[in-house]
Amino acid sequence: MPSYTVTVATGSQWFAGTDDYIYITLVGTEGCSERTLLDKPLYNDFERGAVDSYDVTVGENLGEMELVKIEKKKYWVHDDWYCKYITVKTPSGDYVEFPCFHWLVDDKEVVLRNGKALLPKDDKTRLVKQHRHKELESRRKTYRWREWQPGIPMSIDANTHKELPRDIQFDSEKGVDFILNYSKAIENLCVNQFMHMFQSSWNDFADFERIFVRIKNTISEYVMQHWKEDFMFGYQYLNGCNPVMIQKCTKLPEKFPVTHDMVADCLEREMTLEEEIEAGNIYIADYELMEDISPNSTDPCTLQYLAAPICLLYNNSQSKILPLAIQLGQTPGKDNPIFLPSDGQYDWMLAKIWVRSSDFHIHQTVTHLLRTHLVSEVFGVAMFRQLPAVHPAYKLLLPHIRFTIAINTKAREQLICEFGIFDKANGTGGGGHVEMIQKAMRSLTFRSLCFPDAIKARGVDSPEDLPYYYYRDDGNRVWDVTKSFVWDVVCIYYDSDDTVQKDEEIQAFVKDVCSFGMQDFDCCGFPKSLKTREELTEYLTVIIFTSSAHHAAVNFGQYDWCSWIPNAPPTMRKPPPRQKGVVDVKFIIQSLPDRGRSCWHLGAVWALSQFQENELFLGMYPDEHFIEKPVKEAMESFRKRLAEVSSVIKIRNEGKKLPYYYFSPDRIPNSVAV
């Protein structure tokens, strides 16, 4: 009688093993085996990290292997099991791989296709077509859309991390408990001694060092030493935590009436301000989004304030970006003066602090939360709803969605919810952050997620005009390498544009993202269909780049640039000054966050800057969803090119006091998971 050898691999994560009964049924083109219990006498089957083999005897040859059905039945109490893969050795000696990478919970069964990636047109038998249909039908019931807040991207329908499907939960929920992690960070940073003085002010700038000096690194210490300098203020627009605000100024807006006489002392090329603008040497950062956002009012004992400043920047003859003028509101007038470097020391210092505070809010809520976390979740939910596990796009994207839905759900549960941690220290807490996301949706277009397009739209794409913009240069390198890899994979499965157009699953995926995930907002510009292989390549590149490289670039520098509180105040306790000459150092200290909010802020930027345990970085694909040799060769080429980018960045950074490494591929996690 024919015998098949079945090899079963159990995951190595915590609690992956099981004592429950595991049954298997083999399904081929000529028939199927009986439901067989996988059990060895006097042996503990399916232990964590184990690879176990079993013989399954059948009455007659099953033909070409198509499906494997696994069932888990309770032994004593339900014991979840994580199956990595199953390999079947046929009587003829062939090996057929069945990737799984699923948790089996309760009395659950999983039906697996063999590992070859196939488009819908490639399915020939009724059995596999039916399996494809049932898998998506089941997933759409499990992965449902829900509106967390009106006017923002849709999210998964789950209130808590525990409600999520087991397959997308963290291996250990404890590791992503924001309250626990922030409290632990505060304790490890030795700043919890200040928490009992929650609403009291610091004494002076040096006093902030009392919560800072316990942990130092190259950049954060340099920021502490140089934060008052105009050079450091301007440099952050290029390579700081939020390097997306600077744009070429082609004409001064009427709401910002800066004149040549105001800034003449700062111009170095013997040109007027208008001539400098014409020559392309003037840049602008406009925080208009912050106008009319409700400040945090959750603490009746502490008034908090926000501003919507405009900052004019100058690319001087040494190619340094320096601030020329700052207006702290959007409407010009006597009570909204334009602050200048020639003003008094404390007037100019406070104006820059206000800009840095507004920049922090835009960074946290728009650049970071909306444009990486929430957008990546939209792609993830749509992927689970519309792409079966056998689809090549599913196999390609899955590593880049890993834990994203889980971290966002945890954030909605503890961090950005009503009365969440966000309210404790942030000036936009208590609802202002939601208002910001709603306003920012007007500028969240698909093209703005295409890295080269976003750079060009701000007029900062020329290395000759704007050198030392490492965010742009490194980002373009990683974008190009990623897009080249995606193109290689796309061409393996799509031989023509017509194949793309006729792939109803990829078209449904794209439509789901736009019509449901992005709620079909008029301005979003997300495509509802794809017509060419080039369009598909760009679309998949946007997903991978957004969830890996761009998230890394705007997330992991938070401790570097935001741990020195005066450089990134999470809230301000005095309103913006309405006239010059009334500010002293005491007023500035009283404007900055109090001791308690400073500690919460420090704990937050520390915790958010840490990598996950067992982090997987860009190009690492330990779970082999693809079994085809051409894709594995494309992955190997991808890794080599990423390593070359890392090497270029490492060499450039040597000896620099302010190294830029956030786009270095060896520091880019595969997905948004923190």
Side-chain angles (χ1 to χ4, degrees), residues 386-488:
Q386 305 298 344
L387 299 178
V390 72
H391 197 288
Y394 177 91
K395 293 173 180 281
L396 178 67
L397 295 179
L398 188 62
H400 304 287
I401 304 299
R402 177 176 179 257
F403 299 147
T404 298
I405 300 173
I407 194 69
N408 287 1
T409 303
K410 200 69 181 174
R412 286 187 290 268
E413 185 182 350
Q414 292 185 330
L415 186 61
I416 57 176
C417 56
E418 188 176 8
F419 309 119
I421 298 177
F422 201 77
D423 292 353
K424 292 183 182 296
N426 203 300
T428 58
H433 59 302
V434 176
E435 296 172 18
M436 287 178 67
I437 296 173
Q438 291 166 336
K439 288 181 71 173
M441 287 298 293
R442 301 170 194 165
S443 59
L444 175 56
T445 64
F446 179 75
R447 295 253 61 89
S448 73
L449 296 176
C450 300
F451 190 79
D453 293 51
I455 293 291
K456 191 171 183 178
R458 291 190 283 115
V460 292
D461 51 315
S462 171
E464 291 76 23
D465 292 346
L466 194 62
Y468 313 121
Y469 195 7
Y470 305 130
Y471 164 83
R472 173 200 60 210
D473 300 338
D474 296 352
N476 277 328
R477 290 188 181 101
V478 177
W479 172 272
D480 290 343
V481 171
T482 304
K483 189 174 182 180
S484 176
F485 164 61
V486 174
W487 172 254
D488 290 343

Side-chain angles (χ1 to χ4, degrees), residues 296-307:
N296 192 336
S297 60
T298 58
D299 180 0
C301 298
T302 303
L303 292 177
Q304 299 179 62
Y305 299 90
L306 301 172

